Amino acid sequence: MSDTIPIALPSDPPVTVELARALGLTENEYRVIEARLGRRPTYTELGVFSVMWSEHCSYKSSKLHLRQLPHSGRAVVRGPGENAGAIEIGDGWLAVFKIESHNHPSYVEPYQGAATGVGGIIRDILAMGARPIATLNSLKFGDFDYPRMTYLVRGVVGGIGGYGNCVGVPTVGGEASFSKEYNKNILVNVFCLGLARKGELMSASAKSVGSAVIYAGSATGRDGIHGASLLASAEFDSAEKSKRPSVQVGDPFMGKILIEACLEAFATGAVEACQDMGAAGLTSSSSELAARGGLGIELDLDKVPLREPALTPYEILLSESQERMLLLVCPGREGEVLSVFRKWDLPACVVGRIVAENRWRAFYRGALVADIPVNALTVDAPVYNRPVKARPVARDYSHSSTLCKSRGELEHGEVLRVLIGSPNVASKRWIYRQFDYLVQSNTLVEPGGDAAVLRIKGTQRALAIAVDSNFRLCARDPYIGAVAAVCEAALNVACVGATPVGITDCLNYGSPERPEVMWEFARSVEGIRDAALALEIPVVSGNVSFYNETDGQPIPPTPTIAVVGVLNERAHRLSSYFKRADDAVALVKGGKLRLAATAYEALLEQKRSGVSFGWVLPPIEPELVKATVDALSEAAALGIVSSAHDVSEGGIGVALVECCFNPNGVLGVEVSLDGLDELGVGEALFAEGTPLVIVSLPEANLERAAKVFTDRGLEFKTLGKVKNEPKLTVKDLIDEDCNALWEVYHRALPRRLGEHV
Amino acid sequence: MKWGVITFPGSLDDGDALYALREVMGQEAIALWHADERLYGVECVVLPGGFSYGDYLRCGALARFSPVMKSVARFARDGGLVLGICNGFQILCEARLLPGALTRNRSLSFICDRVALRVENASTPLTRLFSVGDVIRLPIKHGAGLFVASDEELALVEKRGQVLLRYVNAEGQATDEANPNGSLNNIAAIANETFNVFGLMPHPEHAVEADLGGEDGLKLFYSLVAEDR
């Protein structure tokens, strides 16, 4: 068979350079394909190359940079290159996790785009042999005043809930921002974590010649063809609606059944390897499974379950229909696995075999229609060292000491109310109230805290998860912004008392063909690298999303960072809100306070458009963040701290307000910011910083706690006291009713969405 | 007491119900499979939360035709205890083992939250450990929890004391603001005429541990156990 040349079908269009270009390949890439094959590709083969060599599948522009990231660590069981990363967390358990983007599909069709984003990442975790136990999301929307934005917000939130709630995996946290830079290119990044027993991780590499290739799940339809190449790997123009057929449609019920059936199939011990048919569907899953094992694969396309009979080989191979898994099963044990799927009423059948020769072959109606070296599709796909061009970074800001003047006539209390009522700062309850965050009975800290906390049943341990990004900082300086995202996610995890153990990153940028964007990307990766090294947290998985631009306008560089942490004793976890009156309130601080690239600055700029304040962007010292993380985890284990809350969007004042929102009854606080006057006390109220954490603790523990932090070179400054009376008092600056602030904080988002609350 | 928790295709809280019964309460509890008619001598059948068959048709409309539901109907007619939670409640209404129906929330959105509920009838097997007027807190998480019934049916349900729990505010008043989904008369849980079949939209199995949202759900399960003695 192997000497035969694959045939073209009568319906195939002629293969030309123009066709290759229309499929997203460059002329040069087309020439390389001809050289690798030693002949002209068939239409089917050209389609296969176009998706496998797309940016989305091949990482051709990012690969060289990503190599710098620290991947190893004592606890790392699987690093990048597999379906997800895996970290040992104790008691024989592995945490398996990854974050992924579904940006363009969500902009074109928000409900299905977001829904299938959730489904896809869940199946990546499932493919590792882990039971998915939680998802989180990071959402970037545009300005509410932008025409389609309310529709997009409702659609995305509805889609995440629609899929997540029905598939039985709780949506336990996340973040959402709103800014005009994302008006024409919203971001939907979804994180999923699963648990697997040590030693029971599923492989993603073919192992033995003769293994059966089993297709399980939904039948293949025409949806999602060229999702990976034309939708995910190209910039948008105003005609994005015409791309709607490239968006897949989700079936969460099938997704749920697939989870149960696959886990049961894995338990038979007959499954050697597994992969989700995600981007580039059957093509990528089959070729990647074979490539990792250094083997080949033959597919019989006539066996693939189809929704309609007329699908061509091209369509079958490129379809991105959802809820499909590809399993490699030990020769002779196919029956055991197929009977599990039968029990769950799920279509499953053998569609091919693993072969020794390094070829990827597809047969259709008995004829060979594709015959490609496996490596040409995978490890030998093009890699580009794209040109970079630094764009000027505003480092030359001089320190201004006349800050109060620029705030002008605005009174502190008013600024605070405006900030906590702004969509970026306000409560995201409107969003997470539409998500089931309780199913599976593990959720110890629900959405709204610094990090989600999930218990691990049968142990005393718990996992903490936070996702973070900082588009304002990244827009100003992609390096500092990336460092900040890693540090903030690590601090969020530390604020519940956990020790960070692993990072997964989702890197969202404009077109890599623009040298300025490539520079932003390179600087971001360097930032993540430096922060991860300093914090000693390995990056075990990730995803790159380029071409986030519309009509030539790229989004700001947006690396989204998820950090997973472990709490050895779940009883030691800290809340983000104050626990009781009379506790002392203190600020943990390393490095300088910052007004540049804060919510406060954005507010002032909005009030007086065109005015730039010339505030400096101080460097972040990840070593001080590491010290804070260690100190928080020690303080939590010693039981000397009651609560900890990371100061982020909105600054110290907003963080103090959030600390007062104890769900069992709003508390108050009385503090003085005297001595935080490097900026002037009035501005310190709205300053952000990294690391900057508000802790509360019994007064009797002050001395011991101070030592834990100051011994590590951090400032520990007592600010005041928690009060029973729900009043926020900041000496000389603020005197506000916390219940009124609670109303502003919780009603802002529904109000922006036009709902009565 | 021996419990059975049914798994329909698309059930989601079946594992959580089993966990609550076995691990938290130390009860004997087995998993029942939708395609298997046998009930294996259980004394209480639980229909768990979730999205059976994806709820792509009406919620619960397909699950009621599962083979196991024939046995559940027979078991209920013979006076056996049946507890439907959320999707289980929807299935029991579809199977006409409970009056009324559950339709889309008035907000048209899925709601996950903790709500206050007032005990309306404390002399049923599900509520006997409570007193009338007790206010408890349980989580809800559903997209179709709006309880409806015809005027006559509703009047009868009220008159016979079949309403077990009502959505209330912190002060225990059944106000419109405290009604999360628009249910008629703020109804959150009901019983059948013979008080052995129960349906509730809130999730007691998610309120059985102090550090995971409180223990008010435990008392409902223990009420059923007390019935056994």
Side-chain angles (χ1 to χ4, degrees):
Chain A
M1 221 31 154
S2 58
D3 294 335
T4 324
I5 289 177
I7 58 150
L9 299 172
S11 58
D12 285 355
V15 171
T16 60
V17 177
E18 288 67 40
L19 180 64
R21 238 190 253 124
L23 295 178
L25 291 161
T26 65
E27 182 171 346
N28 189 49
E29 285 169 343
Y30 176 73
R31 300 289 169 221
V32 176
I33 291 169
E34 281 192 334
R36 296 268 165 89
L37 293 175
R39 59 176 164 79
R40 173 174 298 197
T42 64
Y43 174 59
T44 305
E45 289 173 329
L46 187 67
V48 164
F49 272 106
S50 76
V51 288
M52 290 306 291
W53 286 14
S54 69
E55 187 65 57
H56 187 78
C57 288
S58 70
Y59 289 81
K60 58 189 171 190
S61 304
S62 57
K63 229 177 203 169
L64 288 176
H65 298 273
L66 296 175
R67 283 185 191 143
Q68 310 167 48
L69 296 177
H71 298 314
S72 52
R74 222 164 17 94
V76 178
V77 179
R78 294 278 171 86
E82 300 241 7
N83 289 313
I87 295 239
E88 200 174 336
I89 51 171
D91 295 316
W93 286 106
L94 303 176
V96 179
F97 54 92
K98 189 181 179 183
I99 189 166
E100 227 171 44
S101 62
H102 229 218
N103 303 336
H104 279 176
S106 302
Y107 190 72
V108 175
E109 212 304 291
Y111 187 96
Q112 291 298 344
T116 52
V118 174
I121 189 68
I122 284 177
R123 279 187 302 282
D124 279 342
I125 302 308
L126 172 65
M128 296 285 289
R131 174 175 285 280
I133 65 160
T135 71
L136 288 87
N137 49 70
S138 170
L139 311 176
K140 296 274 179 295
F141 295 110
D143 209 279
F144 269 114
D145 300 329
Y146 192 71
R148 276 174 89 230
M149 206 45 63
T150 307
Y151 160 76
L152 289 172
V153 172
R154 285 181 186 282
V156 166
V157 171
I160 292 173
Y163 202 100
N165 299 343
C166 186
V167 81
V169 179
T171 306
V172 296
E175 56 158 10
S177 317
F178 306 84
S179 185
K180 63 178 188 310
E181 290 86 349
Y182 301 98
N183 276 356
K184 291 181 172 184
N185 199 122
I186 62 170
L187 300 183
V188 175
N189 294 175
V190 186
F191 166 98
C192 182
L193 181 143
L195 285 181
R197 293 302 292 172
K198 200 178 162 184
E200 290 178 8
L201 221 47
M202 186 48 60
S203 164
S205 316
K207 284 204 177 48
S208 31
V209 173
S211 288
V213 180
I214 288 185
Y215 171 116
S218 290
T220 295
R222 286 203 173 90
D223 49 335
I225 291 173
H226 280 298
S229 49
L230 297 187
L231 194 52
S233 303
E235 60 276 11
F236 269 176
D237 51 38
S238 314
E240 80 267 357
K241 275 200 189 86
S242 67
K243 292 185 173 173
R244 215 165 264 176
S246 294
V247 179
Q248 312 91 322
V249 177
D251 177 353
F253 169 63
M254 185 63 101
K256 163 68 179 170
I257 302 297
L258 204 53
I259 292 175
E260 300 306 327
C262 283
L263 291 175
E264 208 172 307
F266 298 158
T268 63
V271 183
E272 287 183 344
C274 178
Q275 188 160 333
D276 170 39
M277 287 186 243
L282 182 56
T283 293
S284 65
S285 51
S286 59
S287 58
E288 287 170 12
L289 282 164
R292 291 192 199 99
L295 296 168
I297 195 164
E298 290 185 353
L299 298 170
D300 182 354
L301 302 184
D302 299 315
K303 299 272 171 56
V304 174
L306 301 180
R307 273 186 225 155
E308 48 185 312
L311 258 64
T312 64
Y314 185 99
E315 290 169 326
I316 296 169
L317 286 164
L318 268 59
S319 163
E320 292 186 10
S321 288
Q322 295 287 293
E323 289 86 29
R324 303 180 302 159
M325 301 289 276
L326 206 62
L327 289 74
L328 302 185
V329 175
C330 307
R333 297 186 68 182
E334 297 88 342
E336 283 173 67
V337 172
L338 291 174
S339 75
V340 171
F341 288 104
R342 235 183 340 265
K343 172 190 157 187
W344 287 96
D345 289 323
L346 207 61
C349 57
V350 177
V351 297
R353 292 277 161 192
I354 292 295
V355 297
E357 207 185 341
N358 190 263
R359 305 295 292 188
W360 182 88
R361 292 197 185 99
F363 296 89
Y364 178 72
R365 297 187 178 159
L368 183 68
V369 292
D371 185 359
I372 303 170
V374 170
N375 288 350
L377 292 177
T378 54
V379 287
D380 294 338
V383 174
Y384 295 135
N385 188 3
R386 297 213 189 258
V388 298
K389 185 173 162 233
R391 102 176 126 67
V393 165
R395 288 181 183 291
D396 51 347
Y397 289 140
S398 56
H399 195 297
S400 162
S401 55
T402 54
L403 304 172
C404 291
K405 211 164 54 183
S406 43
R407 190 167 44 78
E409 63 288 353
L410 287 172
E411 175 257 332
H412 287 98
E414 189 188 337
V415 174
L416 185 68
R417 279 192 304 273
V418 172
L419 280 175
I420 67 162
S422 65
N424 287 328
V425 175
S427 167
K428 306 300 182 291
R429 185 164 174 266
W430 182 87
I431 296 175
Y432 63 74
R433 197 166 178 252
Q434 299 184 47
F435 302 151
D436 180 350
Y437 46 82
L438 296 171
V439 71
Q440 298 197 26
S441 298
N442 297 318
T443 314
L444 289 168
V445 173
E446 297 172 2
D450 281 26
V453 182
L454 301 156
R455 65 145 166 221
I456 300 169
K457 290 196 187 94
T459 78
Q460 289 310 306
R461 284 179 218 274
L463 287 168
I465 312 164
V467 287
D468 243 298
S469 57
N470 192 324
F471 71 93
R472 279 195 238 283
L473 269 177
C474 288
R476 205 65 65 83
D477 182 332
Y479 177 84
I480 292 182
V483 170
V486 173
C487 289
E488 281 173 27
L491 283 168
N492 281 333
V493 158
C495 277
V496 298
T499 306
V501 295
I503 290 173
T504 178
D505 56 3
C506 191
L507 308 176
N508 308 276
Y509 298 82
S511 164
E513 295 160 43
R514 284 176 199 277
E516 296 83 0
V517 168
M518 213 45 223
W519 172 81
E520 290 173 347
F521 179 75
R523 287 299 285 156
S524 299
V525 173
E526 286 164 17
I528 294 169
R529 174 199 64 196
D530 292 349
L533 284 171
L535 287 160
E536 297 170 27
I537 320 174
V539 181
V540 296
S541 58
N543 166 250
V544 179
S545 171
F546 279 126
Y547 298 99
N548 289 291
E549 55 179 81
T550 302
D551 298 335
Q553 192 58 48
I555 59 159
T558 315
T560 306
I561 304 292
V563 168
V564 174
V566 174
L567 255 162
N568 287 332
E569 294 282 338
R570 72 186 213 223
H572 289 159
R573 72 182 182 280
L574 305 175
S575 65
S576 62
Y577 48 82
F578 296 143
K579 278 282 177 53
R580 60 189 87 81
D582 296 329
D583 266 1
V585 175
L587 185 70
V588 176
K589 177 169 168 282
K592 287 199 171 359
L593 295 178
R594 166 173 62 80
L595 286 170
T598 59
Y600 177 55
E601 187 198 52
L603 172 72
L604 295 188
E605 281 174 356
Q606 201 187 327
K607 292 250 178 234
R608 331 160 126 228
S609 64
V611 177
S612 181
F613 297 95
W615 288 335
V616 278
L617 201 56
I620 294 170
E621 296 174 56
E623 295 72 24
L624 291 175
V625 175
K626 165 80 171 139
T628 310
V629 166
D630 291 347
L632 280 168
S633 127
E634 184 185 337
L638 290 170
I640 55 177
V641 174
S642 316
S643 75
H645 182 38
D646 178 43
V647 175
S648 59
E649 187 100 20
I652 295 171
V654 164
L656 282 168
V657 175
E658 289 169 339
C659 286
C660 291
F661 296 157
N662 183 313
N664 302 316
V666 174
L667 291 168
V669 68
E670 190 176 336
V671 294
S672 156
L673 298 184
D674 290 352
L676 273 180
D677 52 0
E678 59 188 71
L679 298 168
V681 175
E683 308 296 336
L685 186 62
F686 304 114
E688 300 174 19
T690 317
L692 205 54
V693 176
I694 291 172
V695 295
S696 72
L697 65 168
E699 256 176 17
N701 299 344
L702 264 177
E703 207 174 312
R704 271 177 86 197
K707 193 168 153 39
V708 168
F709 289 95
T710 53
D711 276 359
R712 290 181 163 89
L714 300 161
E715 290 174 57
F716 183 87
K717 189 172 160 34
T718 309
L719 300 180
K721 246 186 192 185
V722 180
K723 296 279 177 188
N724 247 333
E725 192 195 352
K727 254 179 72 175
L728 173 76
T729 314
V730 182
K731 191 183 147 206
D732 301 333
L733 302 175
I734 300 253
D735 207 353
E736 294 280 327
D737 172 20
C738 289
N739 282 320
L741 292 173
W742 192 96
E743 295 285 323
V744 174
Y745 185 71
H746 284 89
R747 286 172 198 247
L749 212 47
R751 192 161 288 157
R752 291 309 298 258
L753 286 150
E755 284 184 14
H756 305 284
V757 181
Chain B
M1 176 154 153
K2 187 175 175 183
W3 302 71
V5 178
I6 301 176
T7 298
F8 297 97
S11 290
L12 303 177
D13 303 89
D14 45 343
D16 297 329
L18 283 170
Y19 183 86
L21 293 165
R22 286 177 186 158
E23 310 299 326
V24 181
M25 296 171 60
Q27 296 282 303
E28 182 187 0
I30 61 167
L32 299 172
W33 183 241
H34 72 107
D36 183 350
E37 279 193 32
R38 289 165 292 180
L39 295 181
Y40 298 91
V42 300
E43 297 155 87
C44 179
V45 175
V46 178
L47 284 74
F51 287 75
S52 53
Y53 295 93
D55 282 347
Y56 293 152
L57 193 56
R58 257 181 355 259
C59 301
L62 288 177
R64 65 164 283 218
F65 294 108
S66 290
V68 74
M69 285 306 292
K70 274 190 219 133
S71 316
V72 171
R74 207 175 309 123
F75 179 75
R77 263 198 308 279
D78 295 345
L81 295 172
V82 179
L83 173 63
I85 303 166
C86 198
N87 191 230
F89 186 4
Q90 295 162 343
I91 297 168
L92 290 174
C93 289
E94 285 289 335
R96 304 311 300 159
L97 291 171
L98 284 173
L102 294 148
T103 59
R104 292 283 301 275
N105 296 346
R106 65 177 158 187
S107 67
L108 301 182
S109 300
F110 187 94
I111 301 171
C112 182
D113 209 344
R114 284 177 209 289
V115 296
L117 300 147
R118 188 178 67 208
V119 177
E120 300 292 283
N121 179 346
S123 50
T124 78
L126 182 68
T127 50
R128 65 178 59 226
L129 296 182
F130 295 90
S131 306
V132 169
D134 281 356
V135 174
I136 62 174
R137 284 186 78 79
L138 294 175
I140 53 166
K141 47 189 192 84
H142 58 247
L146 192 165
F147 180 81
V148 289
S150 67
D151 291 348
E152 293 150 42
E153 205 168 26
L154 187 65
L156 275 175
V157 163
E158 290 282 4
K159 194 176 128 210
R160 293 182 185 132
Q162 287 170 254
V163 177
L164 305 186
L165 297 172
R166 247 186 260 276
Y167 301 108
V168 293
N169 61 16
E171 288 76 46
Q173 294 154 332
T175 60
D176 187 56
E177 219 187 2
N179 189 343
N181 50 30
S183 288
L184 293 182
N185 296 4
N186 286 40
I187 290 172
I190 56 166
N192 65 349
E193 259 181 80
T194 47
F195 294 97
N196 63 318
V197 178
F198 312 97
L200 60 169
M201 285 316 292
H203 286 262
E205 80 282 18
H206 286 292
V208 293
E209 292 168 275
D211 57 358
L212 280 103
E215 297 180 315
D216 284 351
L218 263 189
K219 217 164 158 183
L220 288 164
F221 287 119
Y222 275 123
S223 291
L224 290 168
V225 177
E227 164 72 357
D228 178 49
R229 293 202 186 102

